[in-house]
């Protein structure tokens, strides 16, 4: 008997059967563009071995003008087809199924040749699109259908037609982007002509026994988006045109409402997909912020969908389904929805990987092979770097002891987990605890390891982390000044008016922590919807609440400062920085750049502005919180090295600047893969 009867139930599609109800959603990994097809094949085969029922590839361009960026991968030549065949063969050998996503970006294509229904530039691209004429429209439809036929030739089990997220097909559907007055614009019947015709032509091109998924935007979250009636009309039309399955898209990329970030509640949009259940005969897939088998099972058991789509969770753990099926859910590495190593990498042109699992996308190169020569290894420090190093070394067969000065494991992760909107870090620490236990790491809490204590070990890995940087501001020893550590560890009372020194990741986190009180909206979906202005699309077009965002009033009056003149928060995550900034702006946090810290006294923080130290002023406050970055804690490493010991120094103890858990975990994994 399984805990996940709905999740693990097969799904009969008539001509083929899915082994369970889990789809790996499309992610652009940038792997195809690298041309190492063995690496691409291993990426997908590893996930097929993990028993996911069906995977969807990253978006493949149907033609040059529709590619997300110039040179985006697509199936253009016999050579492309042969390369994709390497992938599909490997997946089938592993017992999996794989569909290729056909993605025409329309006005989201990052290039001067982009095309769209109307010549309206998107707010997230510098390139104004060319308006298509009748022949141009016919070419796009034909290219998409040809691409689908080539996917079949390349051995795929199906295609997903990308019709959501504000891409080309979506752009025809709504007056936000379609101002045409010919048969492709105007009435809804005309606006949906192109997506429906695409599905019809794709079906005709691939035959009956081939999966055709249509990804349909169920809640656009942009002005002048679709009404619910239009969504249902389209769903029925694409079913009639030959779609096998309808997948859910949530929000356009240009929407100013977060849809997948870590602060979005789990399964935040399953209720939207549920509204479509019963309206169509084909299976319906739901998606967004589903990241545990419990949540996925509940979504299916409650009838929100027939299938769940998870994408990033399969970067974090390719064996998600297999572990759930054999009762080992605690060992599923959790996706914390941070975007730091996946989507942020995609937008930086790097290979997507995972903060939690640095093997993702690097399966052929970062291998945790059993060791032929087991050693006694001491790891000092149980932050993300140390825990990863300990687990990977133990997995490989080494005998590992992990020393932690604190009474609990987790290091800096324990500060992240108290921030409203970062609750997913709880699951990450829990997972590390499960892995340390399952791999037999000897965890010694409450012990500050000394160089002498470590003499019996063959190898020592020092992951002692960081210490807060001393900003050396006159008056910082006063009773009204706290370090972020005191605040986030709950060791100090903070007054109603706060000035924060430093606007890096931790300054933003501390601000978020201090402006909230009561329950975190991330844990209360109704509150979260109110805060961001998400409404029922059946009541309000596009799912936008007419009154807009309604955040709860801030719990404190907060000012966030930095010395650099640049916009505060500019260096936060590429795809999530805007959410942090918007969230604090909603709480009326003042952000001031280009300040000099002159002194602190009982009245507040005295600053001046600019290089010439002009406009001196006092920022009155009850509490000043120092978030001025960090320096490496290297005292143990230095002591060991002074004794002539060879040590491996990783994480913040190695380099504190720009430290994040992504680098720490990657470094921990790589060092232990090589010992
Ligand atoms: P940080 O990002 O390096 O920011 C340090 C801040 O302190 C900056 O605003 C810096 O700006 C200021 N500062 C530096 N030296 C100073 C000095 N001597 N006196 C006064 N101010 C000084 O460090 P952090 O905020 O401690 O974060 C540490 C790491 O954790 C980050 O690099 C980040 O990757 C990670 N983190 C990430 C997130 C996230 O949302 N992704 C959240 C939390 C933490 P000025 O020099 O211009 O004043
Ligand atoms: Fe999830 Fe973060 Fe990993 Fe991306 S990098 S898959 S969001 S945990």
């Amino acid at each position: 008997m399984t805990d996940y009867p709905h999740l693990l139930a097969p799904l009969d599609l008539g001509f083929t059967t899915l082994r369970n109800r889990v789809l790996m959603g499309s992610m652009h990994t940038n792997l195809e563009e690298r041309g190492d097809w063995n690496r691409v094949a291993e990426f997908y085969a590893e996930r097929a071995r993990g028993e996911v029922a069906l995977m969807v590839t990253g978006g493949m361009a149907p033609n040059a003008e529709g590619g997300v960026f110039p040179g985006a991968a697509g199936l253009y030549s016999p050579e492309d087809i042969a390369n994709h065949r390497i992938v599909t063969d490997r997946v089938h050998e592993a017992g999996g199924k794989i569909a290729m996503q056909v993605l025409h970006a329309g006005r989201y294509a990052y290039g001067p040749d982009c095309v769209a229904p109307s010549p309206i530039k998107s707010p997230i691209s510098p390139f104004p699109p060319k308006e298509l004429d009748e022949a141009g429209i016919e070419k796009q439809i034909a290219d998409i259908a040809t691409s689908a036929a080539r996917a079949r030739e390349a051995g795929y089990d199906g295609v997903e037609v990308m019709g959501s997220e504000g891409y080309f097909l979506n752009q025809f559907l709504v007056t936000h982007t379609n101002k045409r007055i010919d048969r492709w614009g105007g009435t809804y019947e005309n606006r949906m002509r192109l997506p429906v015709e695409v599905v019809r032509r794709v079906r005709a091109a691939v035959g009956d026994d081939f999966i055709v998924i249509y990804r349909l935007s169920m809640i656009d979250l942009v002005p002048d988006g679709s009404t619910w009636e239009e969504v249902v009309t389209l769903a029925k039309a694409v079913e009639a045109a030959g779609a096998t399955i309808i997948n859910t898209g949530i929000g356009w990329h240009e929407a100013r409402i977060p849809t997948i970030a870590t602060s979005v509640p789990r399964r935040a949009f399953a209720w939207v997909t549920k509204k479509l259940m019963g309206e169509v005969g084909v299976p319906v897939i739901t998606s967004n912020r589903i990241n545990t088998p419990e949540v996925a099972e509940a979504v299916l058991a409650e009838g929100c969908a027939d299938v769940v789509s998870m994408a990033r969770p399969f970067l974090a753990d390719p064996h998600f389904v297999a572990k759930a099926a054999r009762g080992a859910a605690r060992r599923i590495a959790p996706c914390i929805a941070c975007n730091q190593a996946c989507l942020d990498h995609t937008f930086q042109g790097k290979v997507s990987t995972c903060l939690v699992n640095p093997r993702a996308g690097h399966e052929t190169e970062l291998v945790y092979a059993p060791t032929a020569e087991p050693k006694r290894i001491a790891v000092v420090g149980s932050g993300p770097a140390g825990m990863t190093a300990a687990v990977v070394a133990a997995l490989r067969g080494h005998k590992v002891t992990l020393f932690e000065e604190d009474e609990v494991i987790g290091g800096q992760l324990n500060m992240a987990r108290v921030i409203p909107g970062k609750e997913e870090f709880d699951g990450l620490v829990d997972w590390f605890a499960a892995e340390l236990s399952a791999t037999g790491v000897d965890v010694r809490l409450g012990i500050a390891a000394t160089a002498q204590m470590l003499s019996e070990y063959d190898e020592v890995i020092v992951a002692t982390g960081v210490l807060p940087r001393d900003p050396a501001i006159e008056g910082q020893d006063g009773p009204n000044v706290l370090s972020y550590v005191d605040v986030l560890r709950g060791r100090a009372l903070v007054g109603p008016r706060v000035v924060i020194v430093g606007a890096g990741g931790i300054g933003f986190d501390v601000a978020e922590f201090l402006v909230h009180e009561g329950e975190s909206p991330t844990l209360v979906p109704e509150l979260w919807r109110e805060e961001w202005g998400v409404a029922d699309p059946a009541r309000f077009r596009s799912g936008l609440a007419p009154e807009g965002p309604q955040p709860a009033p801030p719990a404190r009056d907060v000012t966030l400062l930095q010395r650099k003149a640049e916009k505060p928060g500019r260096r936060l995550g590429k795809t999530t920085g805007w959410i942090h900034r918007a969230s604090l702006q909603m709480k009326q946090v003042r952000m001031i750049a280009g300040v000099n810290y002159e002194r602190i006294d009982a009245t507040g923080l005295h600053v001046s502005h600019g290089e010439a130290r002009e406009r001196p002023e006092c920022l009155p406050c009850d509490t000043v919180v120092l978030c001025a970055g960090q320096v490496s804690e290297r005292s143990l490493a230095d002591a060991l090295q002074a004794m002539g010991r060879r040590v491996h120094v990783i994480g913040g103890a190695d380099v504190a600047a720009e430290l994040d858990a992504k680098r720490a975990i990657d470094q921990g994994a790589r060092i232990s893969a090589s010992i």
Side-chain angles (χ1 to χ4, degrees), residues 340 422 469 471 501-507 509 562-564 580 597 627-630 658-660:
Q340 278 172 251
K422 289 201 164 180
R469 178 188 283 126
V501 169
I506 291 187
D509 273 1
Q562 75 178 23
R563 299 173 308 173
K564 287 187 284 295
H580 296 300
Y597 305 115
C627 305
Q630 298 154 342
E658 313 256 304
L659 171 69
D660 63 13

Side-chain angles (χ1 to χ4, degrees), residues 312-313 315-316 334-343 353-356:
R312 298 170 298 169
L315 294 177
C335 165
I336 57 171
C338 63
N339 285 355
Q340 278 172 251
C342 51
L343 216 53
T353 177
C354 174
L355 174 141
V356 177

Side-chain angles (χ1 to χ4, degrees), residues 15 60 72 169 277 302 343-344 413 431 448 470 485 564 674:
F15 56 91
M60 294 295 135
L169 274 59
M277 293 292 279
E302 289 167 25
L343 216 53
D344 285 354
L413 297 180
W431 173 74
D470 175 3
V485 181
K564 287 187 284 295
S674 68

Side-chain angles (χ1 to χ4, degrees), residues 328-366:
R330 281 186 72 231
R331 298 202 59 192
I332 296 173
C335 165
I336 57 171
C338 63
N339 285 355
Q340 278 172 251
C342 51
L343 216 53
D344 285 354
H345 277 206
T346 307
F347 282 100
Q348 290 160 356
K350 299 184 197 163
V351 166
S352 296
T353 177
C354 174
L355 174 141
V356 177
N357 172 26
R359 289 202 68 229
H362 297 268
E363 283 80 8
T364 53
E365 161 253 327
L366 179 57

Side-chain angles (χ1 to χ4, degrees), residues 470-483 499-501 561 596-607 617-627:
D470 175 3
I473 303 171
E474 185 187 329
Q476 69 179 25
D477 297 331
N480 56 343
V481 183
L482 299 173
S483 149
V499 171
I500 297 175
V501 169
L561 305 176
N596 311 295
Y597 305 115
E598 302 295 352
R599 67 178 191 286
I600 302 169
D601 61 23
T603 56
L605 174 61
H606 296 258
V607 297
E617 62 171 324
C618 175
L619 303 172
C621 63
D622 309 294
T623 310
V624 175
V625 184
L626 303 179
C627 305

Side-chain angles (χ1 to χ4, degrees), residues 117 191 226 291 322 343 369 386 510 573 578 584 589 621 666:
R191 283 183 274 132
S226 292
N291 67 342
L343 216 53
V510 167
W578 70 270
L584 293 190
V589 172
C621 63
D666 184 74

